[in-house]
């Protein structure tokens, strides 16, 4: 597996604080992820393809706003223990689909399950407790809490969150300290350790994205759903975050993320699902998706694998060669940029 | 001198105490959890009436009356919360305004054999006064009757205990969830917390603290009357909370004391200036009979200035307010 051989930027205590063993549920002799990814190789590249070990299965999930059908997913499965990317043009229904899956919005019809438990009509907090945690495209940090308090809030099973235990610090102080240690480790991973005491509202846009992602991990999710996690994060940090997301996978976590940055999708995802106008129009490994006609038409655009300045140079070249004064017929809009 | 002493007298009186407790309850609702309860008067009234009627009409011991008062206010919180707390914040606001008016009308027009219409309930203070160990208070320039002095002692001890309890609660993970709900409910839900249940707990807690305000007010005046629980009651309590600083433990306490102190001080100053044969304020501008209205106008003006120049209140944190602008 050449993709996994890339060195992890921060190889230190990843395995330590996280709960599960480093091997996922589908353990063979290799790591959980390698086995799961290998299993994906057998899956046909077609919309609604059945996976060998799905963690989420959705059927006929429909949601319309007035006359507009925002989501109309016939059948989709998310493989356990791998990183799945959900891509598609603006307004394709990706965020709405996230909202539906996690109970933040109610569908007109449809059913879906997580680990075999049906989540239809499950309240959003129960979905999170089952181990399916999401972040928001428009970040939701708690501005008037400090960064560290934001993190602590994420921890589950806190004794001090019950009314009767709350005034008695000796009942929850120890647990709070443990949570704080873990929160600091995560903050360090996300390069927010210097900001611990600041109000979250004072963070920059990109830092808020990072905080939200780190906070979601405090819940110790089995499946983490990230809505455009890298939007507004600078390239250097993006690189190291990619490493972190991969390390989540090594720890047996399943990741589903929405992203418009195709380099990132190509780099870390094992599987790609493409939505357009509410429907799943294609599925497959990153390479097969990038080559798929429909995906190029609906989303990527003809020049998707060309650097933008390079593309402009090419177009200029064409003008020179053919002496076409206007020549903008060759200039396709790049939809992949936000 | 007597202006200051009467201001101090009013600021710590049993009447002010009922507002202190009502405002502390509102602080739990609005300051910490972001719940818009515009009917705190209803919680105080229901508590006070349940206590008063239990003792006056049914001859139950005071402590049982207090117990019923607490149960009644908790039930009111449940009745108001169950249908509205899943909805947007404004629904609770509307429901609580309505509940406060309904409660006041019921107390002033229905079940007259128990509630005695506008005269209200009285004759329930015996059990409380019998255990009064204190003499009259005759200080340097403050005097309180034995009864007032006893109500004040109990009341201020109660305020202190409530503040300590809230301080313990609000620094805990439980308090953290409340403060987070005030910021963004959905974020809290996405982390697996049952927001509805926490909001309900906050509504009950703040309502029960409000009921204590009703008890103290009732015991102080030796009667419980419907008109003391009109909508002004809630809005004055809100004013005190914002004056002192919301989401600060001592905010509502200091706000309430200051509010009554200043209101009473301004009132007696104006009265002094506008009375006599040759008043300093010309009678055409303000007669001495208009003092009590004018002082509320001045209070409103002061509140506006406060909101402009110190929107976080006396105890608030400027940095927090600045975040709202981002
Ligand atoms: N609450 C709503 N009310 C009405 N229409 C909505 C609502 N939420 C989403 N939509 C519509 O549903 C469609 C899908 O929106 P959605 O936010 O899911 O897109 P998306 O795939 O996440 O897009 P992007 O990549 O821009 O984030 C859009 O056309 C949008 O206008
Ligand atoms: Mg979106």
């Amino acid at each position: 597996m050449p993709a996994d051989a890339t060195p992890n930027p921060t190889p230190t205590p990843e395995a330590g604080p996280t709960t599960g063993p480093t091997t996922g549920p589908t353990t063979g002799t290799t790591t959980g992820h390698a086995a799961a990814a290998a299993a994906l190789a057998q899956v046909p590249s077609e919309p609604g393809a059945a996976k060998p070990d799905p963690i989420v299965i959705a059927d006929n999930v429909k949601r319309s706003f007035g006359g507009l059908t925002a989501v109309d997913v016939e059948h989709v499965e998310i493989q356990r223990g791998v990183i799945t990317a959900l891509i598609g043009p603006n307004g394709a229904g990706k965020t709405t689909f996230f909202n539906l899956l996690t109970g933040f919005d109610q569908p007109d019809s449809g059913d879906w399950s997580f680990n075999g438990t049906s989540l239809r009509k499950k309240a959003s907090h129960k979905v999170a407790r089952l181990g399916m945690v999401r972040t928001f495209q428009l970040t939701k940090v708690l501005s008037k809490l400090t960064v560290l308090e934001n993190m602590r809030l994420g921890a589950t099973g806190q004794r001090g969150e019950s009314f009767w235990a709350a005034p008695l610090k000796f009942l929850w102080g120890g647990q709070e300290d443990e949570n704080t240690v873990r929160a600091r480790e995560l903050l360090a991973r996300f390069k927010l350790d210097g900001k611990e005491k600041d109000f979250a509202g004072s963070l920059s846009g990109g830092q808020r994205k990072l905080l939200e992602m780190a906070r979601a991990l405090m819940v110790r999710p089995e499946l983490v759903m990230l809505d455009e996690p890298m939007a507004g994060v600078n390239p250097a940090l993006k690189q190291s975050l990619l490493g972190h997301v991969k390390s989540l996978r090594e720890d047996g976590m399943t990741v589903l993320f929405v992203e418009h940055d195709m380099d990132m999708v190509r780099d870390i995802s094992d599987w790609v699902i493409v939505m357009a106008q509410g429907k799943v129009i294609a599925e497959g490994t990153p390479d097969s998706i990038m080559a798929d006609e429909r995906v190029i038409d609906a989303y990527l655009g003809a020049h998707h694998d060309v650097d933008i300045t390079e593309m402009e140079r090419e177009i200029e070249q064409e003008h020179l060669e053919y002496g076409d004064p206007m020549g903008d017929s060759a200039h396709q809009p790049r939809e992949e940029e936000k | 001198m007597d202006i200051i002493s009467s201001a101090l007298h009013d600021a710590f009186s049993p009447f002010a105490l009922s507002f202190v407790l009502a405002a502390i309850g509102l602080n739990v609702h609005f300051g910490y959890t972001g719940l818009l309860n515009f009917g705190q008067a209803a919680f105080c009234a229901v508590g006070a009436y349940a206590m008063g009627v239990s003792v006056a009409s049914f001859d139950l011991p005071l402590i049982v009356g207090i117990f019923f008062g607490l149960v009644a206010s908790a039930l009111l919180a449940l009745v108001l919360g169950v249908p509205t707390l899943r909805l947007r914040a404004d629904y609770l606001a509307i429901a609580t305004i309505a509940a406060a008016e309904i409660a006041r009308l019921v107390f002033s027009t229905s079940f007259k054999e128990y509630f005695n219409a506008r005269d209200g309930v009285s004759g329930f203070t015996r059990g409380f006064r019998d255990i009064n160990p204190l003499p009259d208070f005759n200080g340097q320039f403050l005097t309180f009757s034995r009864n007032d002095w006893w109500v004040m002692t109990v009341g201020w001890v109660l305020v202190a205990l409530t503040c300590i309890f809230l301080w313990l609660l609000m620094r805990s993970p439980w308090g953290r969830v409340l403060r987070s709900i005030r910021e963004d409910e959905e974020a809290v839900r996405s982390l697996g917390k049952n927001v509805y249940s926490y909001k309900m707990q906050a509504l009950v807690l703040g309502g029960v603290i409000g009921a204590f305000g009703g008890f103290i007010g009732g015991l102080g005046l030796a009667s419980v009357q419907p008109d003391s629980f009109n909508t002004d009651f809630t809005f004055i309590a809100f004013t005190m909370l914002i004056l002192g600083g919301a989401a600060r433990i001592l905010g509502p306490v200091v706000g309430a004391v200051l509010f009554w102190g200043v209101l009473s001080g301004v009132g007696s100053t104006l009265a002094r200036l506008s009375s006599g044969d040759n008043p300093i304020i010309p009678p055409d501008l303000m007669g001495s009979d208009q003092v009590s209205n004018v002082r509320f106008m001045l209070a409103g003006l002061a509140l506006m200035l406060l909101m402009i120049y110190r929107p976080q209140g006396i105890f608030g944190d400027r940095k927090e307010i600045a975040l709202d602008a981002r």
Side-chain angles (χ1 to χ4, degrees):
Chain A
M1 303 267 104
D4 307 314
T6 39
N8 194 339
T10 47
T12 30
E14 251 70 277
T18 32
T19 33
T22 43
T23 47
T26 54
T27 317
T29 46
T30 50
T31 63
H33 157 242
L40 272 182
Q42 316 300 322
V43 176
S45 293
E46 61 188 30
K51 310 288 183 317
D53 181 15
I55 188 167
V56 171
I57 304 174
D59 278 303
N60 296 314
V61 178
K62 265 205 190 96
R63 174 69 164 113
S64 44
F65 297 105
L68 175 98
T69 306
V71 168
D72 182 6
V73 171
E74 222 168 80
H75 182 84
V76 77
E77 298 183 4
I78 313 286
Q79 169 73 354
R80 187 191 310 276
V82 302
I83 302 180
T84 304
L86 180 60
I87 64 172
N90 293 127
K94 307 179 295 293
T95 299
T96 309
F97 191 49
F98 262 36
N99 289 345
L100 293 172
L101 289 183
T102 49
F104 281 87
D105 192 3
Q106 269 63 52
D108 306 336
S109 67
D111 200 357
W112 64 101
S113 65
F114 173 72
N115 268 337
T117 319
S118 170
L119 295 188
R120 191 182 150 73
K121 303 222 163 128
K122 263 258 189 319
S124 49
H125 70 272
K126 289 190 184 149
V127 174
R129 277 191 209 166
L130 284 173
M132 183 166 162
V133 177
R134 57 89 57 95
T135 65
F136 296 87
Q137 180 169 10
L138 300 172
T139 46
K140 289 188 181 293
V141 298
L142 305 158
S143 324
K144 290 181 189 173
L145 267 60
T146 64
V147 168
L148 189 61
E149 286 280 78
N150 264 272
M151 292 295 287
R152 286 179 179 142
L153 179 73
T156 46
Q158 296 191 47
R159 284 189 285 277
E161 283 183 356
S162 104
F163 177 80
W164 301 110
L168 309 170
K169 191 171 181 186
F170 61 88
L171 289 179
W172 50 264
Q175 198 185 26
E176 182 92 339
D177 292 343
E178 287 163 24
N179 289 338
T180 306
V181 169
R182 210 157 66 84
R184 291 213 167 105
E185 276 167 9
L186 279 167
L187 285 177
R189 274 210 227 175
F190 286 81
K191 301 280 184 291
L192 286 172
D193 36 352
K195 295 273 178 190
E196 187 181 300
K197 292 197 176 64
D198 294 5
F199 283 125
S202 73
L203 296 182
S204 76
Q207 287 166 336
R208 290 177 192 212
K209 279 267 165 204
L210 298 176
L211 175 58
E212 211 191 3
M213 209 188 315
R215 191 179 63 189
L217 296 180
M218 283 297 288
V219 188
R220 297 181 190 277
E222 224 177 298
L223 167 65
V224 55
M225 300 170 61
L226 309 170
D227 201 343
E228 302 200 18
M230 300 296 173
V233 174
N234 65 296
L237 193 48
K238 222 182 246 185
Q239 274 311 313
S240 85
L241 279 180
L242 291 184
H244 294 316
V245 176
K246 285 183 196 165
S247 75
L248 297 180
R249 176 177 63 185
E250 298 309 319
D251 296 342
M253 216 180 275
T254 309
V255 181
L256 174 65
F257 72 103
V258 172
E259 189 54 69
H260 289 293
D261 179 343
M262 293 313 292
D263 290 333
M264 173 177 169
V265 171
R266 197 182 343 227
D267 187 9
I268 66 169
S269 54
D270 301 295
W271 194 257
V272 181
I273 298 172
V274 188
M275 277 181 81
Q277 291 165 359
K279 294 190 190 326
V280 174
I281 59 161
E283 267 191 59
T285 56
D287 292 336
S288 68
I289 284 298
M290 305 272 174
D292 190 313
E293 268 315 306
R294 283 166 304 173
V295 181
I296 292 171
D297 283 352
Y299 181 55
L300 297 170
H303 291 282
H304 70 93
D305 47 2
V306 191
D307 177 75
I308 223 165
T309 47
E310 207 175 292
M311 182 173 97
E312 274 162 5
R313 216 176 299 127
E314 266 172 33
I315 293 167
E316 242 167 57
Q317 204 70 38
E318 281 168 18
H319 297 177
L320 291 178
E321 280 170 19
Y322 301 108
D324 176 1
M326 306 300 288
D328 50 355
S329 58
H331 192 119
Q332 296 287 323
R334 272 174 56 98
E335 285 181 60
E336 89 184 64
E337 290 293 313
K338 290 184 302 320
Chain B
M1 203 50 165
D2 54 333
I3 290 178
I4 295 174
S5 70
S6 78
L8 275 178
H9 184 283
D10 287 359
F12 292 94
S13 67
F15 186 60
L17 263 167
S18 66
F19 279 92
V20 172
L21 286 161
I24 294 176
L26 277 183
N27 199 20
V28 174
H29 292 153
F30 174 72
Y32 287 100
T33 323
L35 299 176
L36 278 176
N37 169 15
F38 286 129
Q40 184 70 335
F43 291 95
C44 301
V46 163
Y49 268 94
M51 175 189 76
V53 170
S54 308
V55 178
S57 302
F58 297 97
D59 274 335
L60 295 169
L62 184 69
I63 190 79
V64 178
I66 287 177
F67 174 76
F68 282 141
L70 296 179
V71 171
S73 62
L75 281 180
L76 178 66
L78 291 176
V79 167
L80 288 173
V82 166
T84 59
L85 287 181
R86 281 188 209 280
L87 307 173
R88 263 196 348 244
D90 20 3
Y91 288 88
L92 177 70
I94 295 164
T96 48
I97 290 184
E101 281 306 280
I102 292 170
R104 193 169 63 87
L105 288 174
V106 167
F107 290 135
S108 53
T109 59
S110 313
F111 302 107
K112 290 197 172 135
E113 66 273 35
Y114 298 117
F115 298 149
N116 303 318
R118 301 181 79 105
D119 294 340
V121 180
S122 54
F124 53 84
T125 51
R126 172 105 70 87
F128 182 72
R129 290 183 175 175
D130 281 351
I131 53 171
N132 181 1
L134 301 173
D136 284 349
F137 181 79
N138 291 306
Q140 278 286 316
F141 52 73
L142 277 182
T143 56
F144 289 105
S145 74
R146 209 174 148 244
N147 287 331
D148 276 359
W149 187 228
W150 176 226
V151 176
M152 283 167 60
T153 308
V154 172
W156 282 104
V157 167
L158 191 64
V159 168
L161 291 178
T162 310
C163 285
I164 292 170
F165 181 63
L166 283 185
W167 176 73
L168 289 173
L169 270 178
M170 292 308 169
R171 67 169 187 167
S172 76
W174 187 85
R176 180 165 61 217
V177 177
L178 291 200
R179 280 177 287 136
S180 308
I181 289 173
R182 179 190 67 186
E183 301 282 314
D184 193 327
E185 278 181 32
E186 295 210 323
V188 180
R189 270 195 210 107
S190 77
L191 298 170
K193 323 282 175 202
N194 186 348
V195 169
Y196 177 68
S197 152
Y198 281 98
K199 283 203 224 171
M200 190 62 89
Q201 293 170 38
L203 191 63
V204 171
L205 176 64
V208 164
I209 295 175
F212 276 111
F215 302 153
I216 295 293
L219 290 171
L221 295 172
S223 76
V224 179
Q225 289 160 353
D227 289 335
S228 41
F229 301 106
N230 55 18
T231 33
D232 290 1
F233 181 96
T234 304
F235 287 107
I236 290 177
F238 257 110
T239 305
M240 293 165 164
L241 173 61
I242 290 164
L243 175 68
R248 290 286 177 274
I249 295 291
L250 290 180
V253 180
V254 172
V257 168
L258 207 64
F259 183 89
W260 279 131
V262 170
L263 197 70
S264 150
V266 168
S268 33
T269 309
L270 286 176
R272 177 80 60 84
L273 293 179
S274 62
S275 63
D277 292 337
N278 198 357
I280 299 170
I281 299 176
D284 299 341
L285 193 62
M286 188 193 82
S288 55
D289 51 337
Q290 290 164 322
V291 165
S292 72
N293 291 332
V294 170
R295 62 186 186 144
F296 273 107
M297 282 165 54
L298 290 177
L301 185 68
L303 192 71
M304 277 165 61
L305 292 175
L306 184 83
M307 294 283 48
I308 294 168
Y309 293 106
R310 202 174 163 82
Q312 72 274 37
I314 293 164
F315 277 114
D317 186 341
R318 182 109 227 182
K319 273 189 293 179
E320 282 193 8
I321 296 286
L323 290 174
D324 290 339
R326 280 176 66 99

